[in-house]
Amino acid sequence: MSNVLFARVARLVAVVTVCLVAAACSQTRPELGADGSVVPGSGQDFVVNVGDRVFFNNNQSSLSPAARATLDKQAQWLNAYSNYTITIEGHADERGTRQYNIALGARRAQAVYDYLSAKGVSQSRIKTISYGKERPVAVCDADSCWSQNRRAVTVVNNAGS
Amino acid sequence: MSVQATSEHKGSTFWRCLGTRVKALVVAGFASVALLGPAHALIEIDITQGNLEPMPIALPHFATQGEQADLGQQISGIVTADLQRSGLFRPIDPAAHIQQNMNVNTQPRFGDWRTIGAQALVTGSVSQLPDGRLKAEFRLWDVYAGQQLIGQQFFTTPQNWRRLAHIISDEIYERLTGEKGYFDTRIVFVDESGPKDQRRKRLAIMDQDGANIRYLTNGSELVLTPRFSPVSQEITYMSYSGQNPQVYLLNIETGQRETLGNFPGMTFAPRFSPDGQRVVMSLQQGSNANIYLMDLRTRRTTRLTNTAAIDTSPSFSPDGRQIVFESDRGGSQQLYVMGSNGQNAQRISFGPGNYSTPVWSPRGDLIAFTKVHQGRFMIGVMRPDGSGERILTEGYHNEGPAWSPNGRVLTFFRDTRGGQGGPQVWTVDLTGYNEQVVQTPNFASDPAWSPLLD
């Protein structure tokens, strides 16, 4: 029940993110059809219908069953649309020290890298980067925010389209 | 930029130069007023004791001659603030002073100063010479003994007036505590502006009291963890400006910057060796971070650790023979000490909680760290063998200690809760009783202290 709710919240966050991106960038391919629906194979399709991020427990980089389910869908999509390259961004919450969190974010990005490449996504398409605790998406003073920040985000790069 | 100083206290004339450019030495005598033999101070502060009573000291406004009528008051005001912030001195309110209009060249009425409880007295004057330079004189008096402890003259350019005040503070601190001062120093840090989820970070440098902020980067790139060279006007830091986030070296006088090393991945957590000739840092390799050493002259890199763990935050001992670092090789973040060749790593932290960001005191006697336990972030110290752990401050979020050059004070940053919260730079002395915020125009984090300027 709470998982369903959480998935909805996460999706809502994802949609908002896409709107911001859409407003900020001139797009090289249409993301929305004439009727407002998401175009399959577009970056927005990946964010909205696949899910671009997975979440981690405190100080952990192991993939939960929910994370693996998301990454299975990511791998399927990336194998179908093989013209895209991706950047995996690893992040940590603010309740750790800076240097360690940089390495922890890298460890989380690496976990996603390893999983996707094991699922057939060519390693030459994947780049990783860690932002440590420098790029939170939620800023409240509670674990409801920190848990959203302990994440790895798969960013689909337009360059391949 | 130069300050020349003469002193009869030291027995011979000496001079100091500010910055790297040296001007012709100006010799000026400064005869003792008291005409007593070599002073043996009766007043002394033992700063190794905890929770001591600060020494009452009187600092009447320095007399001023010339156009800048309030300059003398400003200089004695900075000296007063420096000494007060150290926690070792209690400056007496000038409104309580009995003897007024002090002349630096006449002996004080010691009885007047004993009456108000002053143990030490500082008199001084500042004037502008026909060639435009400032001339400052000051004397430090032992009120009970009726003796002069220091008498010095300084010559410098007018824009150096704040440094002049800090140098006087250092002389007073050193004479009365027996320890080198730390007031004529700077702090490099990360200035933070903008909302929490879109922070703009800039490298910045300021005097240790928060004055004279200068920005070293423009905020277009994310920058973290700057550290001062112990021997040159250079800092090393991490930046996200290139293809990979990497460690850089920046000359703060010329603005020249370079990448350190040609590593195949992200490098971070840099710190100079005590001789300034090497930089030790972490290299991310897959899931693991290992510690590498780079020689700045030969550009050769040496791998120091090789574990399936996060090894980071390396910091040399002042003799250069050992390195303390944090590692989660045992399952949680703990502190380890190894030889500077990477051999014989020994865990030294065993208390409950996670230990990180260790930094070795320039005196060699202590290692400061961040400790996280049950959601509390603390700054503490322990001996290099792990014994004698003491927590100096704790709260919601305290992180990233760095030592003053005399090893008596730590600077760190303290963050506050929630979306509107943000970090500020603080200092705490080794007693833990004297915490001070350093006022900055924006949020500020990752402070690191410079060595004493020359």
Side-chain angles (χ1 to χ4, degrees), chain B residues 5 8 34 41 66 69 74 114 125 139 142 159 169 172 193 251 267 328 352 356 361 377:
Chain B
E8 95 269 10
Q74 288 178 327
R114 281 186 213 113
S125 73
R139 296 179 195 270
D142 181 333
Q159 61 263 34
S169 302
I172 295 167
S193 56
N251 185 306
T267 49
D328 65 357
S356 58
S361 162
F377 280 61

Side-chain angles (χ1 to χ4, degrees), chain A residues 40-104:
Chain A
S42 67
Q44 193 179 0
D45 178 37
F46 182 81
V47 173
V48 175
N49 294 323
V50 175
D52 68 341
R53 62 198 58 201
V54 296
F55 301 96
F56 297 87
N57 285 330
N58 200 14
N59 264 344
Q60 299 298 311
S61 58
S62 56
L63 297 169
S64 67
R68 283 197 290 272
T70 300
L71 295 179
D72 284 339
K73 289 165 67 182
Q74 286 190 6
Q76 197 176 15
W77 191 93
L78 289 166
N79 287 331
Y81 302 104
S82 58
N83 52 333
Y84 287 105
T85 62
I86 57 171
T87 302
I88 303 166
E89 299 178 351
H91 299 270
D93 69 27
E94 69 194 61
R95 303 305 288 156
T97 46
R98 194 176 314 288
Q99 292 92 312
Y100 186 79
N101 277 359
I102 289 169
L104 181 60

Side-chain angles (χ1 to χ4, degrees), chain A residues 59 94-100 102-104 106-107 110 127 129-131 133-136 139 141 146, chain B residues 196-197 201 224 227 240 243 266 268 284 287 310 328 333 356 375 377 396-397 399 413 417-419 446:
Chain A
N59 264 344
E94 69 194 61
R95 303 305 288 156
T97 46
R98 194 176 314 288
Q99 292 92 312
Y100 186 79
I102 289 169
L104 181 60
R107 208 181 240 177
Q110 184 68 31
K127 181 182 182 309
I129 188 169
S130 172
Y131 287 101
K133 60 176 173 177
E134 307 303 320
R135 291 285 181 264
V139 297
D141 168 33
W146 304 330
Chain B
K196 190 165 184 171
D197 54 356
K201 293 196 170 191
L224 302 169
R227 315 292 184 204
Y240 281 68
Q243 192 75 3
M266 171 176 71
F268 61 107
Q284 190 70 33
S287 290
I310 292 171
D328 65 357
Q333 284 168 277
S356 58
F377 280 61
Y396 173 70
H397 197 116
E399 182 179 340
F413 70 93
R417 293 170 186 272
D446 291 3

Side-chain angles (χ1 to χ4, degrees), chain B residues 382-427:
Chain B
M382 63 174 63
R383 294 192 196 97
D385 66 1
S387 66
E389 176 178 329
R390 283 195 297 133
I391 299 302
L392 302 178
T393 188
E394 72 156 305
Y396 173 70
H397 197 116
N398 300 288
E399 182 179 340
W403 291 95
S404 65
N406 72 353
R408 291 298 183 188
V409 183
L410 290 161
T411 181
F412 61 98
F413 70 93
R414 174 173 292 169
D415 211 341
T416 52
R417 293 170 186 272
Q420 301 304 313
Q424 282 187 289
V425 171
W426 286 72
T427 60

